[in-house]
Every structure is written in structure tokens, then in C-alpha cells.
């Protein structure tokens, strides 16, 4: 939930900068898997009641010429409608985090480090 929340806010902050990063991921990359989880597509994905709010921000790529190593969905261009969908979904993710048990600082840092490929020792030094 935390990584999806961060990813959505990065897209809202600067779509031109972050869209190429998120789009270039293979199916197994964190960036693609985070969007798949937000859409509730895999076993670790969000439940239907949570993933429904973000579905409208994505469109399925045409089947012809689709690279099977890449996700078959892409985010629609960031217009007012899509930005509103992302904001609403980010709000829902925040509500889930707010109601969830608190994690230790080091666990939060570890999750972010893994998600953004930051060396754990660097993050670990920041929270001690």
C-alpha cells in the first residue's frame, strides 16, 4: 500500500518525469508490479473494493504486437479525469495505512528501499 501511495503521488507530482520510468518496467519489475497490485491483478494485489477506484486510469494495450514480457496495461494520459482517479485512489490508500497497525521506522525504510532499489545499508543509516 505504501509503495503504491508513493508511486501515485510521484505520477501526480511530475507525470513527464515519472511516466517513462513506470512505463519501461517489465512485468517482473517493481514499477509494473506495483501498478498490477493497485489494479488487483495478482495474488498480492489489492482487494476488489480497493482496486476498483483506479481501474479507470488504465487502458489495455491492443493484443497484436504486445510484448509478453511487459504488462498489457498502460496508464491513460494524465488529464483532469485521470488525475482525479489517482488522487481518489491515493486517498483510499492513505485511509488504509491510517487504519493499519503502525510499522517500525526501519521496516518502512526497508520496504521503500526495496521498492526503489536503494541499498538497504544507506536507508538503515538514515533511520538509526
Amino acid at each position: 500500500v505504501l509503495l503504491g501511495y508513493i508511486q501515485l503521488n510521484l505520477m501526480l507530482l511530475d507525470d513527464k518525469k515519472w511516466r517513462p520510468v513506470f512505463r519501461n518496467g517489465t512485468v517482473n519489475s517493481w514499477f509494473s508490479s506495483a501498478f498490477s497490485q493497485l489494479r488487483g491483478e495478482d495474488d498480492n494485489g489489492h482487494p476488489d473494493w480497493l482496486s476498483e477506484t483506479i481501474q479507470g486510469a488504465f487502458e489495455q494495450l491492443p493484443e497484436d504486437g504486445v510484448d509478453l514480457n511487459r504488462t498489457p496495461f498502460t496508464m491513460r494520459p494524465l488529464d483532469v479525469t485521470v488525475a482525479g482517479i489517482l488522487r481518489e485512489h491515493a486517498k483510499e490508500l492513505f485511509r488504509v495505512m491510517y487504519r493499519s497497525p503502525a510499522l517500525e521506522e526501519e521496516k518502512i525504510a526497508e520496504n521503500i528501499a526495496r521498492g526503489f532499489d536503494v541499498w538497504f545499508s544507506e536507508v538503515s543509516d538514515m533511520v538509526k
Side-chain angles (χ1 to χ4, degrees), residues 3 10 17 21 24-25 28 33-34 51 55 80 85 87 100 105-106 114 116-117 119:
L3 296 178
L10 289 173
K17 179 177 183 176
V21 174
N24 292 334
N28 296 324
S33 67
S51 64
Q55 299 295 338
V80 173
I85 292 169
R87 277 190 209 98
S100 299
E105 291 174 346
E106 192 167 319
R114 255 193 232 126
F116 288 97
D117 284 335
W119 291 106

Side-chain angles (χ1 to χ4, degrees), residues 20-81:
V21 174
F22 298 150
R23 180 183 289 153
N24 292 334
T26 61
V27 172
N28 296 324
S29 75
W30 174 79
F31 295 116
S32 292
S33 67
F35 277 141
S36 292
Q37 288 178 359
L38 289 174
R39 289 190 309 269
E41 291 180 7
D42 52 27
D43 292 340
N44 293 328
H46 294 174
D48 290 345
W49 66 266
L50 183 57
S51 64
E52 287 172 353
T53 59
I54 198 166
Q55 299 295 338
F58 291 88
E59 59 191 6
Q60 188 164 4
L61 297 171
E63 289 187 30
D64 57 323
V66 170
D67 181 352
L68 296 178
N69 291 322
R70 297 199 180 273
T71 180
F73 289 90
T74 188
M75 187 175 287
R76 294 176 24 213
L78 190 65
D79 58 13
V80 173
T81 303

